[in-house]
Amino acid sequence: MKHRIVVLGAGYSGAVAAGRLAARLYRDEVSITLVNGEADFVERVRMHEVATGRDLKLRPFEKMYAGTGVELKLAKVTGVDVDRKTVALDSEELEYDTLVYALGSRWNPQGVPGVAEHAYEIASRPGALRLRERLTSLTAGQTVTVVGGGLTGVEFVTELAESRPDLDVAFVVRGELGDWLSPKGRRHLRKVVDRLGITVYENAAVTRVDADQLTTAQGGAIPAAVTVWTAGFAVHPIVAATSLEVSDTGRIVVDETMRSVSHPDVYAVGDAAYAMGSKSKPLRMSCASGQPMAWQAADSIAARLTGGKLSHAPLFYFNQCISLGRKNGLIQYVTTDDRAINATLTGRVAAVYKELICKGAAWGTENPTMGLPTRRRHVISQPVPLHEWTS
């Protein structure tokens, strides 16, 4: 009987894990089923571009996995029972021997009144397209207010201000603008924001969103014909209904091989996983974390099934790549545990660098073995029980 591997979610992490597993194992010994709600790969890191009018290249999974043996199921995941080892879809139930959970994250309204009713999000393609349609209806002088001063907010607000100079664009941040950046990085970000005419509200915590304005904790009102909410991400609520051990933010706690610490037949990768990186600091939700996590999980599963060597590659950061419109960018160099150092790359060169990174991430998803020859191994007839493996 084939060993049944089910991968949930085909974002940067899930898509890479499925392809890499197919390249490591023989299809007559394992079945790999990839479950996703959409038929093509979504470049989530480009949703700010989609929202402002750019059309992206379609990357259909049918083409990506042709000839690999990966079976694609277009379905919505409605539940996971890790004790019965089943996955409930909107159309059927799947049984698994090994589960790779990669459903990722979604936008996080953070319980602020009015966000769900009045704000727009760009954490998903439907959200970005919905915002795109709304933006086309705006006329000169109307205000678009972006809430959330992290990477997503910075990229969207600068992209919008550059592409729609006829609009009044505002940026609301809880702390100071770019406060996670180095002094050099902050200066460059401020220079770009000022040049684009973006109004910045610093140290402003939003407590309510209405159809035409925001209210802050300081009691002030900020006008907004359109509010775009980029204040963080939250994991899919399906995890909370399982018996998996999770962190205080709801992410699945995994060991250094990306295996659940509570259920050894479950692996988690990407935004849904709570994994430790350099200096025992949790990896942040990002494509930069997700793809290496997927490589680690796939190689660990293959090693355990085939009796191969279980390796562990340290996961660490090198830089943060930030687009500031189409013609400007900021590459913030960081320590291995993601703390900014006072070294940056800026301007047009940084924009080109960021574009290459995005293209590389998409290419890596389509080519999970990086174009290297596949190295398949046979599943051993009596695999060592997973709980007996040491990490």
PDB file of all heavy atoms in Angstrom, residues 143-147 157 161 167-173 177 190 192-202 222-223:
ATOM      1  N   THR A 143      -9.235  60.453  -0.453  1.00  0.00           N
ATOM      2  CA  THR A 143      -8.194  59.951   0.438  1.00  0.00           C
ATOM      3  C   THR A 143      -8.244  58.433   0.591  1.00  0.00           C
ATOM      4  O   THR A 143      -9.297  57.865   0.893  1.00  0.00           O
ATOM      5  CB  THR A 143      -8.314  60.590   1.836  1.00  0.00           C
ATOM      6  OG1 THR A 143      -8.190  62.003   1.715  1.00  0.00           O
ATOM      7  CG2 THR A 143      -7.221  60.069   2.764  1.00  0.00           C
ATOM      8  N   VAL A 144      -7.102  57.806   0.403  1.00  0.00           N
ATOM      9  CA  VAL A 144      -6.931  56.384   0.717  1.00  0.00           C
ATOM     10  C   VAL A 144      -5.993  56.306   1.908  1.00  0.00           C
ATOM     11  O   VAL A 144      -4.861  56.819   1.858  1.00  0.00           O
ATOM     12  CB  VAL A 144      -6.337  55.602  -0.468  1.00  0.00           C
ATOM     13  CG1 VAL A 144      -6.125  54.140  -0.073  1.00  0.00           C
ATOM     14  CG2 VAL A 144      -7.252  55.699  -1.678  1.00  0.00           C
ATOM     15  N   THR A 145      -6.454  55.684   2.987  1.00  0.00           N
ATOM     16  CA  THR A 145      -5.665  55.598   4.206  1.00  0.00           C
ATOM     17  C   THR A 145      -5.244  54.154   4.453  1.00  0.00           C
ATOM     18  O   THR A 145      -6.085  53.256   4.489  1.00  0.00           O
ATOM     19  CB  THR A 145      -6.466  56.122   5.413  1.00  0.00           C
ATOM     20  OG1 THR A 145      -6.862  57.474   5.154  1.00  0.00           O
ATOM     21  CG2 THR A 145      -5.633  56.086   6.673  1.00  0.00           C
ATOM     22  N   VAL A 146      -3.946  53.959   4.587  1.00  0.00           N
ATOM     23  CA  VAL A 146      -3.376  52.630   4.793  1.00  0.00           C
ATOM     24  C   VAL A 146      -2.979  52.491   6.253  1.00  0.00           C
ATOM     25  O   VAL A 146      -2.246  53.335   6.793  1.00  0.00           O
ATOM     26  CB  VAL A 146      -2.151  52.410   3.882  1.00  0.00           C
ATOM     27  CG1 VAL A 146      -1.572  51.009   4.082  1.00  0.00           C
ATOM     28  CG2 VAL A 146      -2.527  52.644   2.418  1.00  0.00           C
ATOM     29  N   VAL A 147      -3.453  51.427   6.896  1.00  0.00           N
ATOM     30  CA  VAL A 147      -3.161  51.192   8.313  1.00  0.00           C
ATOM     31  C   VAL A 147      -2.219  50.005   8.451  1.00  0.00           C
ATOM     32  O   VAL A 147      -2.487  48.927   7.921  1.00  0.00           O
ATOM     33  CB  VAL A 147      -4.454  50.912   9.104  1.00  0.00           C
ATOM     34  CG1 VAL A 147      -4.130  50.698  10.585  1.00  0.00           C
ATOM     35  CG2 VAL A 147      -5.444  52.052   8.925  1.00  0.00           C
ATOM     36  N   VAL A 157       1.592  51.297   0.310  1.00  0.00           N
ATOM     37  CA  VAL A 157       1.348  52.740   0.345  1.00  0.00           C
ATOM     38  C   VAL A 157       2.236  53.471  -0.654  1.00  0.00           C
ATOM     39  O   VAL A 157       1.806  54.448  -1.287  1.00  0.00           O
ATOM     40  CB  VAL A 157       1.523  53.295   1.782  1.00  0.00           C
ATOM     41  CG1 VAL A 157       2.990  53.450   2.172  1.00  0.00           C
ATOM     42  CG2 VAL A 157       0.788  54.619   1.949  1.00  0.00           C
ATOM     43  N   ALA A 161       0.820  55.469  -3.973  1.00  0.00           N
ATOM     44  CA  ALA A 161       1.124  56.895  -4.158  1.00  0.00           C
ATOM     45  C   ALA A 161       1.831  57.144  -5.477  1.00  0.00           C
ATOM     46  O   ALA A 161       1.610  58.170  -6.132  1.00  0.00           O
ATOM     47  CB  ALA A 161       1.976  57.394  -2.988  1.00  0.00           C
ATOM     48  N   LEU A 167      -4.513  60.904  -6.058  1.00  0.00           N
ATOM     49  CA  LEU A 167      -5.175  60.643  -4.785  1.00  0.00           C
ATOM     50  C   LEU A 167      -4.384  61.211  -3.616  1.00  0.00           C
ATOM     51  O   LEU A 167      -3.171  61.394  -3.704  1.00  0.00           O
ATOM     52  CB  LEU A 167      -5.346  59.128  -4.580  1.00  0.00           C
ATOM     53  CG  LEU A 167      -6.189  58.381  -5.614  1.00  0.00           C
ATOM     54  CD1 LEU A 167      -6.159  56.878  -5.321  1.00  0.00           C
ATOM     55  CD2 LEU A 167      -7.617  58.899  -5.644  1.00  0.00           C
ATOM     56  N   ASP A 168      -5.082  61.470  -2.520  1.00  0.00           N
ATOM     57  CA  ASP A 168      -4.415  61.824  -1.266  1.00  0.00           C
ATOM     58  C   ASP A 168      -4.189  60.526  -0.503  1.00  0.00           C
ATOM     59  O   ASP A 168      -5.148  59.852  -0.119  1.00  0.00           O
ATOM     60  CB  ASP A 168      -5.290  62.771  -0.436  1.00  0.00           C
ATOM     61  CG  ASP A 168      -5.363  64.160  -1.032  1.00  0.00           C
ATOM     62  OD1 ASP A 168      -4.464  64.517  -1.818  1.00  0.00           O
ATOM     63  OD2 ASP A 168      -6.334  64.882  -0.747  1.00  0.00           O
ATOM     64  N   VAL A 169      -2.934  60.179  -0.311  1.00  0.00           N
ATOM     65  CA  VAL A 169      -2.594  58.912   0.334  1.00  0.00           C
ATOM     66  C   VAL A 169      -2.059  59.173   1.733  1.00  0.00           C
ATOM     67  O   VAL A 169      -1.158  60.005   1.918  1.00  0.00           O
ATOM     68  CB  VAL A 169      -1.559  58.134  -0.502  1.00  0.00           C
ATOM     69  CG1 VAL A 169      -1.185  56.834   0.193  1.00  0.00           C
ATOM     70  CG2 VAL A 169      -2.101  57.852  -1.902  1.00  0.00           C
ATOM     71  N   ALA A 170      -2.626  58.464   2.716  1.00  0.00           N
ATOM     72  CA  ALA A 170      -2.206  58.612   4.110  1.00  0.00           C
ATOM     73  C   ALA A 170      -1.750  57.266   4.651  1.00  0.00           C
ATOM     74  O   ALA A 170      -2.209  56.202   4.215  1.00  0.00           O
ATOM     75  CB  ALA A 170      -3.343  59.163   4.954  1.00  0.00           C
ATOM     76  N   PHE A 171      -0.840  57.322   5.614  1.00  0.00           N
ATOM     77  CA  PHE A 171      -0.255  56.127   6.201  1.00  0.00           C
ATOM     78  C   PHE A 171      -0.335  56.244   7.716  1.00  0.00           C
ATOM     79  O   PHE A 171       0.220  57.183   8.303  1.00  0.00           O
ATOM     80  CB  PHE A 171       1.195  56.017   5.741  1.00  0.00           C
ATOM     81  CG  PHE A 171       1.821  54.665   5.919  1.00  0.00           C
ATOM     82  CD1 PHE A 171       1.073  53.504   6.032  1.00  0.00           C
ATOM     83  CD2 PHE A 171       3.214  54.548   5.955  1.00  0.00           C
ATOM     84  CE1 PHE A 171       1.676  52.260   6.171  1.00  0.00           C
ATOM     85  CE2 PHE A 171       3.827  53.312   6.084  1.00  0.00           C
ATOM     86  CZ  PHE A 171       3.060  52.164   6.191  1.00  0.00           C
ATOM     87  N   VAL A 172      -1.022  55.297   8.354  1.00  0.00           N
ATOM     88  CA  VAL A 172      -1.202  55.321   9.802  1.00  0.00           C
ATOM     89  C   VAL A 172      -0.401  54.184  10.420  1.00  0.00           C
ATOM     90  O   VAL A 172      -0.630  53.006  10.117  1.00  0.00           O
ATOM     91  CB  VAL A 172      -2.686  55.171  10.179  1.00  0.00           C
ATOM     92  CG1 VAL A 172      -2.859  55.230  11.701  1.00  0.00           C
ATOM     93  CG2 VAL A 172      -3.514  56.253   9.504  1.00  0.00           C
ATOM     94  N   VAL A 173       0.553  54.514  11.301  1.00  0.00           N
ATOM     95  CA  VAL A 173       1.413  53.502  11.919  1.00  0.00           C
ATOM     96  C   VAL A 173       1.343  53.616  13.433  1.00  0.00           C
ATOM     97  O   VAL A 173       1.230  54.709  13.989  1.00  0.00           O
ATOM     98  CB  VAL A 173       2.869  53.633  11.434  1.00  0.00           C
ATOM     99  CG1 VAL A 173       2.944  53.424   9.928  1.00  0.00           C
ATOM    100  CG2 VAL A 173       3.466  54.982  11.788  1.00  0.00           C
ATOM    101  N   LEU A 177       7.521  55.693  11.812  1.00  0.00           N
ATOM    102  CA  LEU A 177       7.674  55.206  10.452  1.00  0.00           C
ATOM    103  C   LEU A 177       8.982  54.413  10.308  1.00  0.00           C
ATOM    104  O   LEU A 177      10.061  54.929  10.574  1.00  0.00           O
ATOM    105  CB  LEU A 177       7.678  56.381   9.472  1.00  0.00           C
ATOM    106  CG  LEU A 177       7.866  56.017   7.991  1.00  0.00           C
ATOM    107  CD1 LEU A 177       6.691  55.194   7.484  1.00  0.00           C
ATOM    108  CD2 LEU A 177       8.036  57.281   7.159  1.00  0.00           C
ATOM    109  N   ARG A 190      11.815  57.624   4.728  1.00  0.00           N
ATOM    110  CA  ARG A 190      11.214  58.952   4.943  1.00  0.00           C
ATOM    111  C   ARG A 190      11.364  59.818   3.701  1.00  0.00           C
ATOM    112  O   ARG A 190      10.428  60.527   3.302  1.00  0.00           O
ATOM    113  CB  ARG A 190      11.866  59.621   6.148  1.00  0.00           C
ATOM    114  CG  ARG A 190      11.379  61.024   6.434  1.00  0.00           C
ATOM    115  CD  ARG A 190       9.968  61.055   6.961  1.00  0.00           C
ATOM    116  NE  ARG A 190       9.885  60.474   8.285  1.00  0.00           N
ATOM    117  CZ  ARG A 190       8.764  60.458   9.010  1.00  0.00           C
ATOM    118  NH1 ARG A 190       7.655  60.993   8.519  1.00  0.00           N
ATOM    119  NH2 ARG A 190       8.746  59.890  10.198  1.00  0.00           N
ATOM    120  N   VAL A 192      11.578  58.874   0.568  1.00  0.00           N
ATOM    121  CA  VAL A 192      10.667  58.408  -0.481  1.00  0.00           C
ATOM    122  C   VAL A 192       9.224  58.784  -0.159  1.00  0.00           C
ATOM    123  O   VAL A 192       8.486  59.270  -1.023  1.00  0.00           O
ATOM    124  CB  VAL A 192      10.797  56.885  -0.664  1.00  0.00           C
ATOM    125  CG1 VAL A 192       9.724  56.357  -1.630  1.00  0.00           C
ATOM    126  CG2 VAL A 192      12.183  56.528  -1.175  1.00  0.00           C
ATOM    127  N   VAL A 193       8.823  58.581   1.078  1.00  0.00           N
ATOM    128  CA  VAL A 193       7.457  58.908   1.494  1.00  0.00           C
ATOM    129  C   VAL A 193       7.170  60.393   1.305  1.00  0.00           C
ATOM    130  O   VAL A 193       6.103  60.789   0.808  1.00  0.00           O
ATOM    131  CB  VAL A 193       7.242  58.474   2.958  1.00  0.00           C
ATOM    132  CG1 VAL A 193       6.002  59.132   3.545  1.00  0.00           C
ATOM    133  CG2 VAL A 193       7.124  56.952   3.037  1.00  0.00           C
ATOM    134  N   ASP A 194       8.121  61.230   1.691  1.00  0.00           N
ATOM    135  CA  ASP A 194       7.940  62.680   1.518  1.00  0.00           C
ATOM    136  C   ASP A 194       7.870  63.059   0.041  1.00  0.00           C
ATOM    137  O   ASP A 194       7.045  63.883  -0.367  1.00  0.00           O
ATOM    138  CB  ASP A 194       9.083  63.439   2.194  1.00  0.00           C
ATOM    139  CG  ASP A 194       9.018  63.367   3.714  1.00  0.00           C
ATOM    140  OD1 ASP A 194       7.949  62.983   4.244  1.00  0.00           O
ATOM    141  OD2 ASP A 194      10.032  63.675   4.364  1.00  0.00           O
ATOM    142  N   ARG A 195       8.722  62.453  -0.778  1.00  0.00           N
ATOM    143  CA  ARG A 195       8.729  62.759  -2.208  1.00  0.00           C
ATOM    144  C   ARG A 195       7.409  62.373  -2.876  1.00  0.00           C
ATOM    145  O   ARG A 195       6.923  63.066  -3.772  1.00  0.00           O
ATOM    146  CB  ARG A 195       9.886  62.046  -2.893  1.00  0.00           C
ATOM    147  CG  ARG A 195       9.945  62.268  -4.412  1.00  0.00           C
ATOM    148  CD  ARG A 195      11.152  61.604  -5.034  1.00  0.00           C
ATOM    149  NE  ARG A 195      11.199  60.181  -4.780  1.00  0.00           N
ATOM    150  CZ  ARG A 195      10.466  59.282  -5.446  1.00  0.00           C
ATOM    151  NH1 ARG A 195       9.624  59.667  -6.399  1.00  0.00           N
ATOM    152  NH2 ARG A 195      10.582  57.995  -5.176  1.00  0.00           N
ATOM    153  N   LEU A 196       6.808  61.291  -2.403  1.00  0.00           N
ATOM    154  CA  LEU A 196       5.543  60.825  -2.977  1.00  0.00           C
ATOM    155  C   LEU A 196       4.333  61.559  -2.409  1.00  0.00           C
ATOM    156  O   LEU A 196       3.203  61.326  -2.844  1.00  0.00           O
ATOM    157  CB  LEU A 196       5.390  59.316  -2.738  1.00  0.00           C
ATOM    158  CG  LEU A 196       6.355  58.418  -3.513  1.00  0.00           C
ATOM    159  CD1 LEU A 196       6.216  56.969  -3.050  1.00  0.00           C
ATOM    160  CD2 LEU A 196       6.112  58.525  -5.016  1.00  0.00           C
ATOM    161  N   GLY A 197       4.553  62.431  -1.436  1.00  0.00           N
ATOM    162  CA  GLY A 197       3.459  63.219  -0.875  1.00  0.00           C
ATOM    163  C   GLY A 197       2.535  62.450   0.039  1.00  0.00           C
ATOM    164  O   GLY A 197       1.355  62.807   0.190  1.00  0.00           O
ATOM    165  N   ILE A 198       3.043  61.411   0.689  1.00  0.00           N
ATOM    166  CA  ILE A 198       2.231  60.600   1.596  1.00  0.00           C
ATOM    167  C   ILE A 198       2.163  61.265   2.965  1.00  0.00           C
ATOM    168  O   ILE A 198       3.186  61.649   3.534  1.00  0.00           O
ATOM    169  CB  ILE A 198       2.828  59.183   1.730  1.00  0.00           C
ATOM    170  CG1 ILE A 198       2.849  58.478   0.368  1.00  0.00           C
ATOM    171  CG2 ILE A 198       2.048  58.357   2.755  1.00  0.00           C
ATOM    172  CD1 ILE A 198       3.651  57.200   0.362  1.00  0.00           C
ATOM    173  N   THR A 199       0.964  61.436   3.489  1.00  0.00           N
ATOM    174  CA  THR A 199       0.779  61.973   4.833  1.00  0.00           C
ATOM    175  C   THR A 199       0.923  60.843   5.842  1.00  0.00           C
ATOM    176  O   THR A 199       0.242  59.818   5.735  1.00  0.00           O
ATOM    177  CB  THR A 199      -0.610  62.611   4.984  1.00  0.00           C
ATOM    178  OG1 THR A 199      -0.766  63.650   4.018  1.00  0.00           O
ATOM    179  CG2 THR A 199      -0.800  63.184   6.381  1.00  0.00           C
ATOM    180  N   VAL A 200       1.819  61.010   6.801  1.00  0.00           N
ATOM    181  CA  VAL A 200       2.090  59.946   7.768  1.00  0.00           C
ATOM    182  C   VAL A 200       1.571  60.336   9.147  1.00  0.00           C
ATOM    183  O   VAL A 200       1.856  61.432   9.647  1.00  0.00           O
ATOM    184  CB  VAL A 200       3.602  59.637   7.844  1.00  0.00           C
ATOM    185  CG1 VAL A 200       3.864  58.520   8.857  1.00  0.00           C
ATOM    186  CG2 VAL A 200       4.142  59.248   6.473  1.00  0.00           C
ATOM    187  N   TYR A 201       0.806  59.442   9.756  1.00  0.00           N
ATOM    188  CA  TYR A 201       0.339  59.603  11.130  1.00  0.00           C
ATOM    189  C   TYR A 201       1.092  58.585  11.982  1.00  0.00           C
ATOM    190  O   TYR A 201       0.861  57.381  11.879  1.00  0.00           O
ATOM    191  CB  TYR A 201      -1.160  59.358  11.239  1.00  0.00           C
ATOM    192  CG  TYR A 201      -2.014  60.330  10.460  1.00  0.00           C
ATOM    193  CD1 TYR A 201      -2.324  60.089   9.126  1.00  0.00           C
ATOM    194  CD2 TYR A 201      -2.516  61.481  11.060  1.00  0.00           C
ATOM    195  CE1 TYR A 201      -3.123  60.970   8.395  1.00  0.00           C
ATOM    196  CE2 TYR A 201      -3.312  62.372  10.346  1.00  0.00           C
ATOM    197  CZ  TYR A 201      -3.604  62.113   9.014  1.00  0.00           C
ATOM    198  OH  TYR A 201      -4.386  62.987   8.302  1.00  0.00           O
ATOM    199  N   GLU A 202       2.008  59.062  12.815  1.00  0.00           N
ATOM    200  CA  GLU A 202       2.816  58.166  13.641  1.00  0.00           C
ATOM    201  C   GLU A 202       2.245  58.058  15.050  1.00  0.00           C
ATOM    202  O   GLU A 202       1.490  58.920  15.507  1.00  0.00           O
ATOM    203  CB  GLU A 202       4.261  58.668  13.692  1.00  0.00           C
ATOM    204  CG  GLU A 202       4.939  58.665  12.324  1.00  0.00           C
ATOM    205  CD  GLU A 202       6.375  59.159  12.378  1.00  0.00           C
ATOM    206  OE1 GLU A 202       6.556  60.384  12.525  1.00  0.00           O
ATOM    207  OE2 GLU A 202       7.290  58.328  12.294  1.00  0.00           O
ATOM    208  N   ILE A 222      -9.286  60.496  11.315  1.00  0.00           N
ATOM    209  CA  ILE A 222      -8.491  60.569  10.088  1.00  0.00           C
ATOM    210  C   ILE A 222      -9.401  60.247   8.919  1.00  0.00           C
ATOM    211  O   ILE A 222     -10.025  59.183   8.893  1.00  0.00           O
ATOM    212  CB  ILE A 222      -7.316  59.578  10.143  1.00  0.00           C
ATOM    213  CG1 ILE A 222      -6.394  59.913  11.326  1.00  0.00           C
ATOM    214  CG2 ILE A 222      -6.536  59.604   8.834  1.00  0.00           C
ATOM    215  CD1 ILE A 222      -5.305  58.882  11.556  1.00  0.00           C
ATOM    216  N   PRO A 223      -9.517  61.129   7.934  1.00  0.00           N
ATOM    217  CA  PRO A 223     -10.421  60.878   6.809  1.00  0.00           C
ATOM    218  C   PRO A 223      -9.962  59.701   5.958  1.00  0.00           C
ATOM    219  O   PRO A 223      -8.759  59.447   5.821  1.00  0.00           O
ATOM    220  CB  PRO A 223     -10.370  62.190   6.022  1.00  0.00           C
ATOM    221  CG  PRO A 223      -9.042  62.796   6.370  1.00  0.00           C
ATOM    222  CD  PRO A 223      -8.800  62.413   7.800  1.00  0.00           C
TER     223      PRO A 223
END
